[in-house]
Short mmCIF file of all heavy atoms in Angstrom, two decimals:
data_model
loop_
_atom_site.label_atom_id
_atom_site.label_comp_id
_atom_site.label_asym_id
_atom_site.label_seq_id
_atom_site.Cartn_x
_atom_site.Cartn_y
_atom_site.Cartn_z
N MET A 1 -8.44 11.81 -8.70
CA MET A 1 -7.06 11.51 -8.32
C MET A 1 -6.80 10.08 -7.75
O MET A 1 -7.48 9.70 -6.83
CB MET A 1 -6.70 12.52 -7.33
CG MET A 1 -5.48 13.40 -7.87
SD MET A 1 -4.66 14.57 -6.80
CE MET A 1 -5.39 14.79 -5.37
N GLY A 2 -5.89 9.42 -8.34
CA GLY A 2 -5.62 8.11 -7.94
C GLY A 2 -4.77 8.05 -6.69
O GLY A 2 -4.01 8.96 -6.45
N ARG A 3 -5.00 7.03 -5.93
CA ARG A 3 -4.25 6.92 -4.71
C ARG A 3 -3.33 5.73 -4.75
O ARG A 3 -3.62 4.68 -4.10
CB ARG A 3 -5.09 6.78 -3.44
CG ARG A 3 -5.48 8.10 -2.92
CD ARG A 3 -6.08 7.99 -1.46
NE ARG A 3 -5.19 7.37 -0.58
CZ ARG A 3 -5.42 7.00 0.69
NH1 ARG A 3 -6.71 7.20 1.15
NH2 ARG A 3 -4.59 6.51 1.48
N THR A 4 -2.38 5.85 -5.60
CA THR A 4 -1.50 4.67 -5.72
C THR A 4 -0.35 4.90 -4.78
O THR A 4 0.49 5.77 -5.01
CB THR A 4 -0.97 4.65 -7.26
OG1 THR A 4 -0.68 5.87 -7.65
CG2 THR A 4 -2.05 3.98 -8.14
N GLU A 5 -0.34 4.02 -3.81
CA GLU A 5 0.76 4.03 -2.92
C GLU A 5 1.72 2.91 -3.20
O GLU A 5 1.62 1.82 -2.66
CB GLU A 5 0.27 4.01 -1.41
CG GLU A 5 -0.46 5.23 -1.05
CD GLU A 5 -1.06 5.17 0.39
OE1 GLU A 5 -0.37 4.65 1.29
OE2 GLU A 5 -2.07 5.64 0.61
N ALA A 6 2.58 3.16 -4.15
CA ALA A 6 3.45 2.19 -4.58
C ALA A 6 4.44 1.85 -3.38
O ALA A 6 5.04 2.79 -2.80
CB ALA A 6 4.26 2.61 -5.84
N ALA A 7 4.66 0.61 -3.27
CA ALA A 7 5.53 0.23 -2.15
C ALA A 7 6.99 0.45 -2.65
O ALA A 7 7.40 -0.16 -3.67
CB ALA A 7 5.32 -1.23 -1.84
N ILE A 8 7.61 1.32 -2.01
CA ILE A 8 9.01 1.58 -2.37
C ILE A 8 9.85 0.50 -1.63
O ILE A 8 9.96 0.44 -0.44
CB ILE A 8 9.45 3.02 -1.90
CG1 ILE A 8 8.53 3.97 -2.63
CG2 ILE A 8 10.85 3.24 -2.25
CD1 ILE A 8 8.47 5.40 -1.96
N PRO A 9 10.51 -0.23 -2.50
CA PRO A 9 11.41 -1.28 -1.88
C PRO A 9 12.50 -0.67 -1.09
O PRO A 9 13.22 0.24 -1.52
CB PRO A 9 11.95 -2.03 -3.09
CG PRO A 9 11.87 -1.04 -4.26
CD PRO A 9 10.65 -0.26 -3.91
N LYS A 10 12.66 -1.11 0.14
CA LYS A 10 13.67 -0.60 0.99
C LYS A 10 14.91 -1.32 0.86
O LYS A 10 14.92 -2.50 1.02
CB LYS A 10 13.21 -0.57 2.45
CG LYS A 10 12.22 0.42 2.75
CD LYS A 10 12.29 0.83 4.26
CE LYS A 10 11.45 2.06 4.44
NZ LYS A 10 11.48 2.40 5.96
N PRO A 11 15.93 -0.62 0.54
CA PRO A 11 17.26 -1.30 0.36
C PRO A 11 17.67 -1.82 1.72
O PRO A 11 17.50 -1.17 2.83
CB PRO A 11 18.19 -0.24 -0.16
CG PRO A 11 17.52 1.05 0.26
CD PRO A 11 16.05 0.78 0.36
N LYS A 12 18.41 -2.87 1.72
CA LYS A 12 18.86 -3.49 2.98
C LYS A 12 20.05 -2.62 3.53
O LYS A 12 20.25 -2.62 4.72
CB LYS A 12 19.34 -4.84 2.69
CG LYS A 12 18.19 -5.97 2.70
CD LYS A 12 18.80 -7.35 2.64
CE LYS A 12 17.72 -8.31 2.56
NZ LYS A 12 18.22 -9.69 2.39
N THR A 13 20.61 -2.03 2.68
CA THR A 13 21.74 -1.20 3.08
C THR A 13 21.45 0.28 3.38
O THR A 13 20.52 0.68 2.70
CB THR A 13 23.00 -1.26 2.00
OG1 THR A 13 22.49 -0.78 0.79
CG2 THR A 13 23.46 -2.70 1.81
N ARG A 14 22.12 0.84 4.14
CA ARG A 14 21.85 2.23 4.42
C ARG A 14 23.01 2.95 5.15
O ARG A 14 23.98 2.17 5.50
CB ARG A 14 20.61 2.40 5.27
CG ARG A 14 20.76 1.67 6.64
CD ARG A 14 19.52 1.71 7.40
NE ARG A 14 19.66 0.74 8.51
CZ ARG A 14 18.66 0.56 9.45
NH1 ARG A 14 17.57 1.07 9.28
NH2 ARG A 14 18.91 -0.27 10.41
N PHE A 15 22.95 4.15 5.19
CA PHE A 15 24.07 4.85 5.86
C PHE A 15 23.65 5.30 7.22
O PHE A 15 22.41 5.67 7.52
CB PHE A 15 24.35 6.15 5.03
CG PHE A 15 24.94 5.71 3.70
CD1 PHE A 15 24.23 5.74 2.54
CD2 PHE A 15 26.36 5.62 3.61
CE1 PHE A 15 24.80 5.38 1.31
CE2 PHE A 15 26.95 5.22 2.43
CZ PHE A 15 26.25 5.16 1.27
N LEU A 16 24.49 5.20 8.04
CA LEU A 16 24.23 5.52 9.52
C LEU A 16 25.23 6.72 10.04
O LEU A 16 26.41 6.60 9.64
CB LEU A 16 24.42 4.34 10.39
CG LEU A 16 23.62 3.07 10.09
CD1 LEU A 16 24.16 1.88 10.91
CD2 LEU A 16 22.20 3.31 10.38
N LYS A 17 24.63 7.59 10.67
CA LYS A 17 25.53 8.65 11.27
C LYS A 17 25.88 8.22 12.60
O LYS A 17 24.89 7.97 13.47
CB LYS A 17 24.80 9.97 11.18
CG LYS A 17 25.74 11.11 11.65
CD LYS A 17 25.00 12.44 11.40
CE LYS A 17 25.94 13.60 11.64
NZ LYS A 17 25.23 14.88 11.60
N VAL A 18 26.97 7.98 12.92
CA VAL A 18 27.38 7.49 14.21
C VAL A 18 28.33 8.45 14.96
O VAL A 18 28.96 9.39 14.34
CB VAL A 18 28.05 6.11 14.22
CG1 VAL A 18 27.13 5.11 13.60
CG2 VAL A 18 29.39 6.13 13.34
N LYS A 19 28.32 8.33 16.26
CA LYS A 19 29.23 9.13 17.12
C LYS A 19 30.20 8.35 17.78
O LYS A 19 29.90 7.33 18.45
CB LYS A 19 28.37 9.89 18.17
CG LYS A 19 29.07 11.06 18.85
CD LYS A 19 28.14 11.73 19.71
CE LYS A 19 28.91 12.99 20.28
NZ LYS A 19 27.98 13.91 20.93
N CYS A 20 31.48 8.60 17.67
CA CYS A 20 32.51 7.84 18.27
C CYS A 20 32.41 8.00 19.78
O CYS A 20 32.32 9.17 20.30
CB CYS A 20 33.90 8.43 17.73
SG CYS A 20 35.31 7.65 18.50
N SER A 21 32.51 6.83 20.40
CA SER A 21 32.37 6.89 21.83
C SER A 21 33.60 7.36 22.60
O SER A 21 33.65 7.68 23.76
CB SER A 21 32.00 5.52 22.42
OG SER A 21 32.90 4.54 22.02
N SER A 22 34.68 7.39 21.80
CA SER A 22 35.93 7.77 22.27
C SER A 22 36.23 9.15 22.30
O SER A 22 36.63 9.79 23.25
CB SER A 22 37.01 6.97 21.63
OG SER A 22 38.28 7.23 22.04
N CYS A 23 36.01 9.81 21.09
CA CYS A 23 36.37 11.20 20.98
C CYS A 23 35.16 12.06 20.59
O CYS A 23 35.25 13.32 20.64
CB CYS A 23 37.47 11.37 19.87
SG CYS A 23 36.80 11.21 18.19
N GLY A 24 33.91 11.54 20.33
CA GLY A 24 32.84 12.28 20.01
C GLY A 24 32.71 12.72 18.65
O GLY A 24 31.77 13.47 18.34
N ASN A 25 33.58 12.34 17.80
CA ASN A 25 33.54 12.71 16.36
C ASN A 25 32.35 12.02 15.74
O ASN A 25 32.06 10.89 16.01
CB ASN A 25 34.80 12.19 15.70
CG ASN A 25 34.76 12.41 14.19
OD1 ASN A 25 34.51 13.40 13.71
ND2 ASN A 25 35.05 11.28 13.41
N GLU A 26 31.56 12.80 14.87
CA GLU A 26 30.46 12.19 14.13
C GLU A 26 30.80 11.92 12.77
O GLU A 26 31.39 12.74 12.08
CB GLU A 26 29.33 13.10 14.27
CG GLU A 26 28.69 13.14 15.68
CD GLU A 26 27.41 14.08 15.73
OE1 GLU A 26 27.02 14.53 14.67
OE2 GLU A 26 26.78 14.14 16.70
N GLN A 27 30.58 10.66 12.27
CA GLN A 27 30.76 10.42 10.93
C GLN A 27 29.75 9.38 10.30
O GLN A 27 29.10 8.71 11.01
CB GLN A 27 32.26 9.96 10.80
CG GLN A 27 32.42 8.49 10.64
CD GLN A 27 34.07 8.17 10.76
OE1 GLN A 27 34.86 8.81 11.50
NE2 GLN A 27 34.50 7.24 9.96
N ILE A 28 29.63 9.44 9.06
CA ILE A 28 28.65 8.57 8.47
C ILE A 28 29.33 7.32 7.86
O ILE A 28 30.37 7.29 7.22
CB ILE A 28 28.05 9.43 7.23
CG1 ILE A 28 27.25 10.54 7.74
CG2 ILE A 28 27.17 8.43 6.32
CD1 ILE A 28 26.71 11.56 6.74
N ILE A 29 28.71 6.17 8.17
CA ILE A 29 29.23 4.88 7.80
C ILE A 29 28.24 4.18 7.04
O ILE A 29 27.00 4.32 7.23
CB ILE A 29 29.75 4.13 9.05
CG1 ILE A 29 28.58 3.70 9.92
CG2 ILE A 29 30.77 4.85 9.81
CD1 ILE A 29 28.98 2.57 10.93
N PHE A 30 28.74 3.23 6.33
CA PHE A 30 27.81 2.33 5.49
C PHE A 30 27.51 1.07 6.32
O PHE A 30 28.37 0.52 6.88
CB PHE A 30 28.60 2.07 4.20
CG PHE A 30 27.85 1.35 3.18
CD1 PHE A 30 26.59 1.72 2.76
CD2 PHE A 30 28.35 0.24 2.52
CE1 PHE A 30 25.78 0.98 1.85
CE2 PHE A 30 27.66 -0.45 1.54
CZ PHE A 30 26.35 -0.01 1.21
N SER A 31 26.24 0.71 6.29
CA SER A 31 25.85 -0.42 7.16
C SER A 31 26.26 -1.74 6.64
O SER A 31 26.37 -2.71 7.36
CB SER A 31 24.32 -0.48 7.23
OG SER A 31 23.74 -0.83 6.09
N ASN A 32 26.80 -1.85 5.44
CA ASN A 32 27.27 -3.06 4.89
C ASN A 32 28.73 -3.07 4.53
O ASN A 32 29.13 -3.58 3.50
CB ASN A 32 26.45 -3.56 3.68
CG ASN A 32 25.24 -4.32 4.14
OD1 ASN A 32 24.60 -4.03 5.10
ND2 ASN A 32 24.85 -5.27 3.31
N ALA A 33 29.50 -2.34 5.36
CA ALA A 33 30.91 -2.24 5.11
C ALA A 33 31.54 -3.66 5.03
O ALA A 33 31.21 -4.49 5.79
CB ALA A 33 31.51 -1.37 6.07
N ASN A 34 32.59 -3.71 4.23
CA ASN A 34 33.25 -4.99 4.08
C ASN A 34 34.47 -5.15 4.98
O ASN A 34 35.03 -6.13 5.06
CB ASN A 34 33.67 -5.24 2.63
CG ASN A 34 32.53 -5.54 1.80
OD1 ASN A 34 31.65 -6.38 2.11
ND2 ASN A 34 32.42 -5.01 0.56
N SER A 35 34.79 -4.04 5.60
CA SER A 35 35.85 -4.00 6.54
C SER A 35 35.57 -3.04 7.66
O SER A 35 34.56 -2.43 7.67
CB SER A 35 37.18 -3.55 5.78
OG SER A 35 36.95 -2.22 5.24
N ASN A 36 36.34 -3.24 8.71
CA ASN A 36 36.07 -2.43 9.91
C ASN A 36 36.14 -0.99 9.54
O ASN A 36 36.97 -0.56 8.72
CB ASN A 36 37.18 -2.73 10.91
CG ASN A 36 36.98 -4.18 11.51
OD1 ASN A 36 36.05 -4.89 11.15
ND2 ASN A 36 37.93 -4.60 12.38
N VAL A 37 35.25 -0.26 10.19
CA VAL A 37 35.17 1.21 9.99
C VAL A 37 35.77 1.85 11.18
O VAL A 37 35.35 1.61 12.35
CB VAL A 37 33.73 1.63 9.79
CG1 VAL A 37 33.66 3.13 9.43
CG2 VAL A 37 33.05 0.88 8.64
N LYS A 38 36.77 2.69 10.93
CA LYS A 38 37.45 3.41 11.98
C LYS A 38 37.03 4.85 11.99
O LYS A 38 36.69 5.42 10.98
CB LYS A 38 39.00 3.26 11.82
CG LYS A 38 39.42 1.86 12.17
CD LYS A 38 40.95 1.77 12.01
CE LYS A 38 41.56 0.42 12.31
NZ LYS A 38 42.96 0.38 11.98
N CYS A 39 37.11 5.44 13.18
CA CYS A 39 36.93 6.88 13.37
C CYS A 39 38.08 7.53 12.67
O CYS A 39 39.22 7.20 12.77
CB CYS A 39 36.92 7.09 14.96
SG CYS A 39 36.92 8.96 15.22
N LEU A 40 37.63 8.60 11.89
CA LEU A 40 38.60 9.27 11.11
C LEU A 40 39.46 10.25 12.00
O LEU A 40 40.62 10.63 11.68
CB LEU A 40 37.97 10.18 10.11
CG LEU A 40 37.24 9.42 8.93
CD1 LEU A 40 36.44 10.34 8.08
CD2 LEU A 40 38.18 8.70 8.17
N ALA A 41 39.04 10.54 13.17
CA ALA A 41 39.69 11.41 14.05
C ALA A 41 40.65 10.69 15.01
O ALA A 41 41.76 11.08 15.22
CB ALA A 41 38.69 12.14 14.85
N CYS A 42 40.20 9.50 15.56
CA CYS A 42 41.04 8.89 16.59
C CYS A 42 41.40 7.44 16.33
O CYS A 42 41.98 6.77 17.14
CB CYS A 42 40.42 9.03 17.94
SG CYS A 42 39.01 7.98 18.24
N ASN A 43 40.85 6.86 15.21
CA ASN A 43 41.16 5.53 14.78
C ASN A 43 40.47 4.46 15.69
O ASN A 43 40.73 3.28 15.61
CB ASN A 43 42.65 5.25 14.82
CG ASN A 43 43.21 5.21 13.41
OD1 ASN A 43 42.49 5.51 12.49
ND2 ASN A 43 44.39 4.74 13.31
N ASN A 44 39.52 4.86 16.47
CA ASN A 44 38.77 3.97 17.24
C ASN A 44 37.84 3.16 16.31
O ASN A 44 37.37 3.68 15.35
CB ASN A 44 37.89 4.74 18.23
CG ASN A 44 37.01 3.83 19.15
OD1 ASN A 44 37.47 2.83 19.61
ND2 ASN A 44 35.85 4.27 19.35
N ILE A 45 37.64 1.83 16.53
CA ILE A 45 36.76 1.13 15.63
C ILE A 45 35.30 1.47 15.89
O ILE A 45 34.80 1.30 16.98
CB ILE A 45 36.95 -0.40 15.77
CG1 ILE A 45 38.37 -0.74 15.24
CG2 ILE A 45 35.93 -1.18 15.07
CD1 ILE A 45 38.79 -2.21 15.44
N LEU A 46 34.67 1.94 14.84
CA LEU A 46 33.19 2.39 14.98
C LEU A 46 32.34 1.16 14.74
O LEU A 46 31.25 1.11 15.22
CB LEU A 46 32.98 3.60 14.11
CG LEU A 46 33.74 4.86 14.36
CD1 LEU A 46 33.34 5.86 13.24
CD2 LEU A 46 33.47 5.41 15.70
N ALA A 47 32.74 0.37 13.77
CA ALA A 47 31.93 -0.72 13.32
C ALA A 47 32.78 -1.90 12.91
O ALA A 47 33.75 -1.74 12.19
CB ALA A 47 30.96 -0.32 12.19
N GLU A 48 32.49 -3.07 13.36
CA GLU A 48 33.24 -4.28 13.00
C GLU A 48 32.51 -4.97 11.90
O GLU A 48 31.30 -5.18 11.88
CB GLU A 48 33.20 -5.20 14.12
CG GLU A 48 34.49 -5.21 15.10
CD GLU A 48 34.38 -6.21 16.11
OE1 GLU A 48 33.65 -5.87 17.09
OE2 GLU A 48 34.86 -7.32 15.94
N SER A 49 33.28 -5.37 10.93
CA SER A 49 32.64 -6.15 9.80
C SER A 49 32.39 -7.59 10.18
O SER A 49 33.23 -8.26 10.69
CB SER A 49 33.57 -6.05 8.64
OG SER A 49 33.04 -6.71 7.48
N LYS A 50 31.18 -7.95 9.96
CA LYS A 50 30.83 -9.36 10.28
C LYS A 50 30.19 -10.01 9.10
O LYS A 50 28.87 -10.01 9.04
CB LYS A 50 29.84 -9.40 11.48
CG LYS A 50 30.44 -8.88 12.77
CD LYS A 50 31.09 -9.95 13.57
CE LYS A 50 31.65 -9.45 14.89
NZ LYS A 50 32.39 -10.40 15.63
N GLY A 51 30.97 -10.43 8.18
CA GLY A 51 30.31 -11.10 6.99
C GLY A 51 29.32 -10.30 6.28
O GLY A 51 28.17 -10.76 6.08
N GLY A 52 29.66 -9.10 5.81
CA GLY A 52 28.79 -8.35 5.01
C GLY A 52 27.81 -7.44 5.82
O GLY A 52 27.16 -6.56 5.28
N LYS A 53 27.88 -7.64 7.17
CA LYS A 53 27.11 -6.71 7.96
C LYS A 53 28.08 -6.14 9.06
O LYS A 53 29.06 -6.78 9.35
CB LYS A 53 26.02 -7.53 8.75
CG LYS A 53 24.59 -7.13 8.27
CD LYS A 53 23.58 -7.75 9.25
CE LYS A 53 22.44 -6.82 9.51
NZ LYS A 53 21.51 -7.36 10.47
N VAL A 54 27.65 -5.06 9.59
CA VAL A 54 28.54 -4.52 10.60
C VAL A 54 27.90 -4.55 11.98
O VAL A 54 26.78 -4.43 12.14
CB VAL A 54 28.88 -3.06 10.24
CG1 VAL A 54 29.83 -2.99 9.09
CG2 VAL A 54 27.78 -2.10 10.19
N LYS A 55 28.76 -4.76 12.95
CA LYS A 55 28.43 -4.71 14.30
C LYS A 55 28.88 -3.43 14.86
O LYS A 55 30.06 -2.99 14.89
CB LYS A 55 29.09 -5.89 15.06
CG LYS A 55 28.56 -5.98 16.53
CD LYS A 55 29.32 -7.08 17.20
CE LYS A 55 28.80 -7.16 18.59
NZ LYS A 55 29.64 -8.14 19.38
N LEU A 56 27.85 -2.65 15.19
CA LEU A 56 28.26 -1.23 15.61
C LEU A 56 28.89 -1.18 17.05
O LEU A 56 28.45 -1.94 17.95
CB LEU A 56 26.97 -0.35 15.64
CG LEU A 56 26.43 -0.04 14.23
CD1 LEU A 56 25.05 0.64 14.45
CD2 LEU A 56 27.34 0.83 13.50
N ARG A 57 29.85 -0.31 17.07
CA ARG A 57 30.49 -0.11 18.41
C ARG A 57 30.36 1.29 18.78
O ARG A 57 30.87 1.77 19.73
CB ARG A 57 32.03 -0.42 18.26
CG ARG A 57 32.27 -1.91 18.18
CD ARG A 57 33.65 -2.11 18.82
NE ARG A 57 34.20 -3.30 18.56
CZ ARG A 57 35.49 -3.65 18.78
NH1 ARG A 57 36.27 -2.72 19.14
NH2 ARG A 57 35.96 -4.79 18.62
N ALA A 58 29.77 2.05 17.95
CA ALA A 58 29.47 3.47 18.24
C ALA A 58 28.00 3.70 18.28
O ALA A 58 27.16 2.97 17.75
CB ALA A 58 30.13 4.29 17.02
N LYS A 59 27.71 4.84 18.91
CA LYS A 59 26.25 5.13 19.03
C LYS A 59 25.67 5.76 17.69
O LYS A 59 26.32 6.67 17.08
CB LYS A 59 26.11 6.22 20.12
CG LYS A 59 24.73 6.46 20.55
CD LYS A 59 24.64 7.57 21.60
CE LYS A 59 23.25 7.96 21.90
NZ LYS A 59 23.06 9.18 22.73
N VAL A 60 24.60 5.29 17.31
CA VAL A 60 23.92 5.81 16.06
C VAL A 60 23.14 7.10 16.39
O VAL A 60 22.26 7.17 17.25
CB VAL A 60 22.93 4.81 15.50
CG1 VAL A 60 22.21 5.38 14.33
CG2 VAL A 60 23.62 3.57 15.04
N VAL A 61 23.66 8.18 15.73
CA VAL A 61 22.95 9.44 15.95
C VAL A 61 21.73 9.60 15.03
O VAL A 61 20.70 10.12 15.46
CB VAL A 61 23.96 10.61 15.58
CG1 VAL A 61 23.41 11.94 15.80
CG2 VAL A 61 25.23 10.42 16.43
N LYS A 62 21.90 9.07 13.79
CA LYS A 62 20.83 9.33 12.88
C LYS A 62 20.93 8.17 11.71
O LYS A 62 22.00 7.82 11.35
CB LYS A 62 20.97 10.63 12.14
CG LYS A 62 19.68 11.13 11.59
CD LYS A 62 19.93 12.52 11.00
CE LYS A 62 18.76 13.07 10.25
NZ LYS A 62 18.98 14.35 9.69
N GLU A 63 19.78 7.72 11.28
CA GLU A 63 19.81 6.81 10.19
C GLU A 63 19.45 7.54 8.89
O GLU A 63 18.50 8.28 8.94
CB GLU A 63 18.77 5.65 10.44
CG GLU A 63 19.19 4.75 11.48
CD GLU A 63 18.27 3.57 11.78
OE1 GLU A 63 17.38 3.38 10.86
OE2 GLU A 63 18.28 2.93 12.80
N LEU A 64 20.22 7.37 7.91
CA LEU A 64 20.04 8.11 6.65
C LEU A 64 19.64 7.12 5.63
O LEU A 64 19.96 5.93 5.64
CB LEU A 64 21.31 8.76 6.17
CG LEU A 64 22.03 9.60 7.27
CD1 LEU A 64 23.44 9.93 6.91
CD2 LEU A 64 21.30 10.97 7.48
N ASP A 65 18.81 7.62 4.57
CA ASP A 65 18.51 6.72 3.49
C ASP A 65 19.36 6.82 2.33
O ASP A 65 20.01 7.91 2.05
CB ASP A 65 17.02 7.13 3.07
CG ASP A 65 16.04 6.66 4.06
OD1 ASP A 65 16.16 5.56 4.57
OD2 ASP A 65 15.09 7.48 4.29
ZN1 ZN B 1 36.99 9.03 17.61
#
């Protein structure tokens, strides 16, 4: 049995599950959003777009692949 541990290239982008600090709503956002991401429940800004990357303003609950 061969032990080929192929390096799986990790994409730079990923999805994050965040929790709104304002209302507690949890939602999944894309880490490379091109525009500000708002909470679907209360419109609070969860992540600010900074040139292809986002600056999180909400707490990350879980990182998803
Ligand atoms: Zn909210």
Side-chain angles (χ1 to χ4, degrees):
M1 240 187 352
R3 270 193 62 183
T4 43
E5 288 179 40
I8 299 160
K10 282 207 169 180
K12 280 184 179 177
T13 58
R14 61 189 167 178
F15 290 94
L16 303 168
K17 190 177 187 185
V18 298
K19 188 171 187 173
C20 175
S21 57
S22 181
C23 73
N25 174 54
E26 289 184 359
Q27 100 186 38
I28 291 167
I29 66 167
F30 187 47
S31 70
N32 272 38
N34 289 316
S35 55
N36 291 354
V37 182
K38 288 180 182 177
C39 173
L40 294 173
C42 76
N43 255 11
N44 181 41
I45 292 177
L46 300 177
E48 258 181 282
S49 181
K50 297 268 182 188
K53 247 192 143 184
V54 294
K55 187 182 178 188
L56 289 172
R57 285 209 194 167
K59 189 184 174 189
V60 176
V61 180
K62 197 177 180 183
E63 290 184 13
L64 310 160
D65 285 321

